[in-house]
Amino acid sequence: MEMKKRALVSVSDKAGVVDFCKGLVENGFEIISTGGTAKALQNAGISVIGISEITGFPECLDGRVKTLHPNVHAGLLAMRSNPEHMKQLEELNINTIDIVCVNLYPFKATLEKGADFAECIENIDIGGPTMIRAAAKNYQDVAVIVDPADYSLVLNELADGGVTLETKKYLQYKVFAHTAQYDSLISNYLAGKLGITFPDTVTFTYDKAQEMRYGENPQQSAVFYKEPFARKGSLSSAKQLWGKELSYNNINDANGALELLKEFGDTPAVVACKHANPCGVGTGDSIHEAYMRAYNSDPVSVFGGILAINGTVDESTAQEINKIFIEIVMAPAYTDKALEILEQKKNIRLLQIDDISARRDKATFDMKKVYGGLLVQQYDECLIKDEDMSLFSTKAEVEVSTLPSGKQKTVYGTGVVTDRMPTAEEIDAMMFAWKVVKHTKSNAIVIGKPGRTTGIGMGQTNRIWAAQQAIAHAGDEAKGSVMASDAFFPFPDCVEECVKAGITAIIQPGGSIRDKESVELANERGLAMVFVGERHFKH
């Protein structure tokens, strides 16, 4: 039996497939095809062998069963170098299949359009993955294409005498990467439908978005991968309007700025970040006012930093930004004049991010890679809401108990723990600072006034150093500011620093066994202190 050169073509994404099949025919291949693909090829004048002619069995069950047949899979899996395999094919009158061109039912696109469960399940491909995995297993004899970008590669090599073994191995790799991602999307979707947050085994899938010149340091190579689904208000959905390609550090730092910016909703806000930590944050009645407040919080650290802005960058704001060196500006929009001004600097990068204030999708995770494993947690979405303002007007409950040692233990609930209640201005400042400290690396202290930070201390190995750093950055602006701490005060020393600096109110989680010492010192010096009951470690 003389084996004919045959290619099996069945694709959901029909971009380029007609020209590809014309090229196959020119190289002596017969085309086997199914359903809609066969119709598209025939309409283009390409002779097609229907799959039922190969299997001797009609397509059935609305197309659910068409290629799952020995006449197909024997032709894919037979090893041409194995005489016994080839003898069996001849006895069974089965022709080999030398090229497979298949891409799978559009499960991802079905999810993206918000289809219901039944439609999503119907778009899980069965025959397609089976065929391409079979072809990839027999890579030395079968070239299998799942990506239209590889059509020209295959045709060029066929014109030069045949697809090389090296290319077949590359195509084999792409098959298993493709099916791994496909199955990951399905399993994660089904886990979500069952309410399984942390399954026993987990696979995450990402698409390469950008190769980088280097990573954190020049000796490290790096790549940016993005999630397969576009996330509103994320860097993966950003459109770069101006400037050099983003670096590893740019993306990491910009993400820190974006996460904090989202806490302010529609209130005009500007976040200046350096090394993924906020160095100046401001809100106001306009973006220009918010920028000036952010800049004046720490003009030294803002230099060379990253700006996240939740409104349109106008001419006056652009003029101010251009007075110093800024690495990146991210905003949902820019006026034409603002772009003209900002583009005068060749080293600035301008990003447009639609829906920049969009909150995170609840299905996403916060992940940290550790050597030999992966830490996965839900994002810290907790924050004081406007409806929880009673926290600032309610006296905290106090429970006093006697320990076996005879010492008394004082435990405070949430609310105001001092004799003095905070003023309306202090409450505004505490609400603002609490948002900022949530996104500052621990140990973290933020001091500020309504609508602006005045000093930030971050990443210290003890809390008093973070407090002293924040106060030092604030200088004279510390007087009349409030202080926010991401975790409790283990000692009253932070309160002592507040007293010396002229800080008038403190917001912190509470929960230290020595809370009473801090509360008593605050009472003695007339400070207001509020316990929130929830900490915001960010390591």
Side-chain angles (χ1 to χ4, degrees), residues 33-300:
S33 194
T34 66
T37 304
K39 186 175 181 180
L41 296 177
Q42 288 168 336
N43 289 341
I46 299 172
S47 179
V48 171
I49 301 171
I51 193 69
S52 296
E53 295 180 52
I54 301 300
T55 63
F57 202 89
E59 294 185 30
C60 61
L61 305 180
D62 298 320
R64 282 188 166 202
V65 178
K66 49 196 174 194
T67 61
L68 297 168
H69 194 279
N71 285 359
V72 173
H73 288 276
L76 294 174
L77 285 163
M79 298 175 67
R80 315 311 195 245
S81 61
N82 186 321
E84 189 62 31
H85 282 194
M86 300 310 291
K87 179 182 178 183
Q88 288 182 37
L89 286 189
E90 188 167 355
E91 290 171 351
L92 295 168
N93 195 32
I94 295 174
N95 201 95
T96 53
I97 298 172
D98 306 297
I99 288 178
V100 172
C101 175
V102 170
N103 49 55
L104 309 180
Y105 289 177
F107 183 78
K108 175 185 171 184
T110 305
L111 290 185
E112 286 180 317
K113 74 176 186 178
D116 61 20
F117 184 76
E119 185 176 354
C120 289
I121 296 303
E122 196 59 33
N123 276 278
I124 296 175
D125 203 327
I126 302 301
T130 306
M131 278 195 297
I132 61 177
R133 288 172 66 89
K137 179 173 181 176
N138 202 24
Y139 71 94
Q140 71 276 2
D141 296 315
V142 184
V144 52
I145 303 99
V146 295
D147 183 355
D150 294 320
Y151 290 165
S152 59
L153 170 64
V154 171
L155 290 178
N156 288 338
E157 292 197 358
L158 286 173
D160 287 338
V163 183
T164 65
L165 184 61
E166 182 181 4
T167 294
K168 288 178 178 177
K169 287 182 177 180
Y170 166 72
L171 295 173
Q172 176 194 44
Y173 145 73
K174 291 194 75 169
V175 165
F176 289 106
H178 187 52
T179 57
Q181 182 185 57
Y182 196 78
D183 287 341
S184 175
L185 292 174
I186 294 168
S187 64
N188 289 340
Y189 169 73
L190 295 177
K193 285 296 181 183
L194 290 170
I196 300 172
T197 304
F198 299 116
D200 292 338
T201 62
V202 64
T203 304
F204 298 107
T205 179
Y206 296 86
D207 299 319
K208 184 189 285 187
Q210 176 189 337
E211 290 191 5
M212 297 174 168
R213 287 188 299 138
Y214 56 83
E216 252 179 323
N217 300 291
Q219 67 269 26
Q220 296 168 275
S221 56
V223 170
F224 175 43
Y225 290 95
K226 64 180 180 180
E227 294 179 343
F229 300 108
R231 302 285 186 186
K232 285 185 176 180
S234 70
L235 282 165
S236 61
S237 65
K239 178 182 179 183
Q240 187 161 352
L241 304 179
W242 178 261
K244 296 183 295 184
E245 192 174 63
L246 296 178
S247 71
Y248 180 100
N249 291 331
N250 287 156
I251 292 173
N252 184 57
D253 296 350
N255 186 65
L258 268 181
E259 291 196 353
L260 173 51
L261 185 72
K262 293 179 184 300
E263 302 290 3
F264 296 100
D266 296 329
T267 301
V270 174
V271 174
C273 257
K274 203 80 167 283
H275 303 291
N277 268 305
C279 55
V281 184
T283 59
D285 294 329
S286 67
I287 291 299
H288 181 267
E289 182 181 21
Y291 171 75
M292 295 310 301
R293 286 179 168 180
Y295 170 76
N296 288 323
S297 295
D298 188 351
V300 174

Side-chain angles (χ1 to χ4, degrees), residues 232-453:
K232 285 185 176 180
S234 70
L235 282 165
S236 61
S237 65
K239 178 182 179 183
Q240 187 161 352
L241 304 179
W242 178 261
K244 296 183 295 184
E245 192 174 63
L246 296 178
S247 71
Y248 180 100
N249 291 331
N250 287 156
I251 292 173
N252 184 57
D253 296 350
N255 186 65
L258 268 181
E259 291 196 353
L260 173 51
L261 185 72
K262 293 179 184 300
E263 302 290 3
F264 296 100
D266 296 329
T267 301
V270 174
V271 174
C273 257
K274 203 80 167 283
H275 303 291
N277 268 305
C279 55
V281 184
T283 59
D285 294 329
S286 67
I287 291 299
H288 181 267
E289 182 181 21
Y291 171 75
M292 295 310 301
R293 286 179 168 180
Y295 170 76
N296 288 323
S297 295
D298 188 351
V300 174
S301 296
V302 171
F303 184 90
I306 288 171
L307 299 177
I309 301 171
N310 66 1
T312 300
V313 179
D314 58 19
E315 179 180 353
S316 62
T317 307
Q319 287 172 339
E320 291 295 335
I321 292 172
N322 259 19
K323 289 179 180 179
I324 61 170
F325 168 56
I326 292 292
E327 285 265 11
I328 298 173
V329 180
M330 299 175 287
Y334 303 78
T335 65
D336 290 342
K337 189 63 178 178
L339 282 176
E340 182 182 326
I341 293 167
L342 292 170
E343 289 174 3
Q344 292 172 9
K345 292 203 170 185
K346 66 177 183 179
N347 288 327
I348 198 171
R349 298 164 174 88
L350 304 179
L351 303 182
Q352 179 182 322
I353 302 179
D354 298 333
D355 302 308
I356 199 168
S357 298
R359 302 296 295 180
R360 292 191 198 92
D361 188 318
K362 291 183 179 179
T364 59
F365 292 106
D366 184 15
M367 297 182 282
K368 289 184 175 68
K369 182 72 179 71
V370 297
Y371 188 59
L374 182 71
L375 289 170
V376 180
Q377 65 177 351
Q378 293 177 313
Y379 273 101
D380 179 7
E381 299 290 6
C382 178
L383 203 61
I384 302 168
K385 304 291 191 299
D386 291 339
E387 58 267 27
D388 299 331
M389 293 295 287
S390 60
L391 185 78
F392 299 97
S393 59
T394 304
K395 287 284 189 179
E397 293 183 3
V398 183
E399 181 181 320
V400 180
S401 58
T402 303
L403 299 173
S405 64
K407 291 183 178 180
Q408 286 192 325
K409 178 183 179 182
T410 304
V411 177
Y412 297 86
T414 59
V416 181
V417 295
T418 50
D419 296 337
R420 183 171 78 76
M421 305 295 286
T423 66
E425 184 176 341
E426 287 170 337
I427 292 171
D428 285 346
M430 284 192 283
M431 285 284 285
F432 178 85
W434 192 242
K435 292 175 181 177
V436 179
V437 83
K438 173 184 172 182
H439 294 274
T440 306
K441 299 289 178 65
S442 300
N443 284 314
I445 295 288
V446 172
I447 60 176
K449 295 179 179 178
R452 62 190 177 104
T453 53

Side-chain angles (χ1 to χ4, degrees), residues 456-534:
I456 302 175
M458 76 287 284
Q460 299 299 316
T461 52
N462 64 65
R463 197 153 299 279
I464 186 62
W465 286 357
Q468 289 168 341
Q469 182 186 55
I471 291 168
H473 284 173
D476 293 339
E477 281 289 325
K479 188 173 183 179
S481 291
V482 304
M483 174 179 283
S485 174
D486 67 325
F488 63 60
F489 292 162
F491 306 102
D493 48 5
C494 288
V495 180
E496 292 174 359
E497 293 295 328
C498 287
V499 171
K500 289 189 288 186
I503 290 168
T504 63
I506 298 169
I507 182 169
Q508 59 137 315
S512 169
I513 60 173
R514 301 181 67 166
D515 276 342
K516 185 178 179 183
E517 296 176 33
S518 293
V519 173
E520 287 179 342
L521 180 56
N523 280 331
E524 181 184 323
R525 295 306 185 97
L527 278 69
M529 187 183 293
V530 176
F531 281 5
V532 178
E534 291 164 336

